[in-house]
Amino acid sequence: MMERSLSERMAQFDENYPLILEEIARAARLSGRKPEDITLLAATKTVPLEVINHAISRGLSCLGENRVQELLDKYPGLDKDRCDVQFIGRLQTNKVKYLLGKVSCIQSVDSMKLAQEISRLCQREGTEMKILVEVNIGREESKGGVLPEELLPFLEKVSKLPGLRVDGLMTIPPVCAQKEELCRYFSEMRQYYVDIAAKRLDNVSMNCLSMGMSSDFSEAIQCGATMVRVGSALFGARQYPAAKEENLDLGGR
Ligand SMILES: *Cc1c(COP(=O)(O)O)cnc(C)c1O
């Protein structure tokens, strides 16, 4: 693939952004909601800092990074005053310490070990962290997330950890040939989201249902997503540094 210049990438964003917002608004109305009820999180892995800040200057107000190192590299230069920064990738316990004070939410919590480490560090720093619990809705071995039947017991345990606030659920469904199949996964997630909210667990709110990416965000919203995480549809196809290409982006991460 030809390397795109920064200005080409910015122009590409400018072209895509209004179309994505329009589609989000359409899908929101189809599901009986308002466009502003849906948060667009831009998945900015591999996107250069200059392009991200350009996107923020155009109104982008929420972004998610996948890899701790990449987040740390970009962080000092990010226009953070105008944009909420979240973490959406798989997270090793020993890297939690780099995220505290930098991201507003960790979307990929799927083990007690990870939750306990976030809790421990938050207590030590006298701070709090919002988390989403990731659900492995398609029961795929290649993906993170708690299995659906483990979700409630997991939440009950996590709800007792100080320093953590569960703010909702996140999922990356299997690649589906049929939209109907995809919508079954999204709808199943929405049902867990509603059922858990009704249980009113301490420290557990269902404010955010994060699902849907470039290829399926419209379906996800129509099935109840309150946040969509969109990368390539906003910024164009990802360009990886050549040597690292095969290590990255396994299973949509
Ligand atoms: C990269 C990524 C996305 C966005 O993927 P696109 O298909 O480019 O929209 C969403 N969620 C997570 C967790 C990601 O890693």
Side-chain angles (χ1 to χ4, degrees):
M1 192 191 339
M2 276 283 288
E3 279 269 323
R4 283 160 288 157
S5 69
L6 290 177
S7 60
E8 282 167 334
R9 286 169 161 246
M10 291 175 190
Q12 196 165 24
F13 174 86
D14 289 345
E15 197 178 312
N16 293 332
Y17 186 47
L19 301 176
I20 302 279
L21 291 180
E22 219 171 275
E23 182 55 32
I24 288 174
R26 195 184 73 89
R29 288 193 200 95
L30 282 173
S31 66
R33 290 177 295 165
K34 297 195 279 291
E36 59 269 30
D37 295 338
I38 314 297
T39 301
L40 169 63
L41 174 145
T44 47
K45 57 179 175 269
T46 77
V47 179
L49 182 60
E50 294 85 346
V51 179
I52 299 175
N53 281 339
H54 169 80
I56 295 171
S57 77
R58 290 289 191 265
L60 183 75
S61 59
C62 181
L63 67 82
E65 282 285 343
N66 282 73
R67 299 195 315 140
V68 173
Q69 189 57 56
E70 190 175 341
L71 172 71
L72 295 179
D73 290 345
K74 291 174 181 172
Y75 192 79
L78 270 179
D79 187 358
K80 298 174 285 284
D81 291 345
R82 289 193 283 173
C83 193
D84 180 35
V85 179
Q86 307 202 3
F87 190 79
I88 61 175
R90 210 167 241 183
L91 182 58
Q92 288 170 298
T93 311
N94 62 357
K95 297 204 171 147
V96 172
K97 56 177 178 284
Y98 301 113
L99 297 182
L100 290 198
K102 295 202 172 60
V103 302
S104 68
C105 180
I106 298 175
Q107 294 210 1
S108 45
V109 176
D110 64 355
S111 74
M112 272 315 278
K113 192 166 159 242
L114 182 56
Q116 279 161 346
E117 178 64 0
I118 299 171
S119 168
R120 185 182 74 82
L121 291 175
C122 282
Q123 279 178 278
R124 202 178 70 182
E125 309 283 315
T127 181
E128 237 190 15
M129 180 64 83
K130 266 195 312 197
I131 64 164
L132 303 185
V133 172
E134 182 173 353
V135 182
N136 188 347
I137 195 69
R139 305 168 168 280
E140 294 171 285
E141 265 179 43
S142 62
K143 284 195 180 136
V146 301
L147 293 173
E149 65 272 19
E150 290 163 4
L151 180 57
L152 190 56
F154 182 73
L155 282 165
E156 281 166 348
K157 279 189 275 175
V158 169
S159 72
K160 299 194 174 74
L161 296 176
L164 277 191
R165 257 184 321 123
V166 179
D167 201 47
L169 306 177
M170 182 269 227
T171 198
I172 305 173
V175 175
C176 296
Q178 306 284 330
K179 292 285 178 192
E180 295 77 41
E181 192 191 352
L182 192 59
C183 287
R184 274 202 299 277
Y185 287 122
F186 287 145
S187 301
E188 197 183 331
M189 283 297 298
R190 159 85 188 160
Q191 196 57 52
Y192 296 130
Y193 182 77
V194 169
D195 291 347
I196 290 161
K199 297 211 184 288
R200 301 182 172 281
L201 300 173
D202 285 342
N203 290 319
V204 176
S205 314
M206 289 291 121
N207 294 321
C208 183
L209 180 55
S210 171
M211 59 186 190
M213 318 203 299
S214 288
S215 59
D216 55 17
F217 69 90
S218 182
E219 287 79 10
I221 293 168
Q222 289 172 56
C223 296
T226 70
M227 172 183 279
V228 292
R229 307 178 309 270
V230 181
S232 45
L234 278 172
F235 298 106
R238 280 185 277 284
Q239 293 177 188
Y240 293 111
K244 288 186 184 164
E245 195 151 28
E246 65 276 16
N247 298 331
L248 299 177
D249 204 26
L250 299 169
R253 304 273 194 146

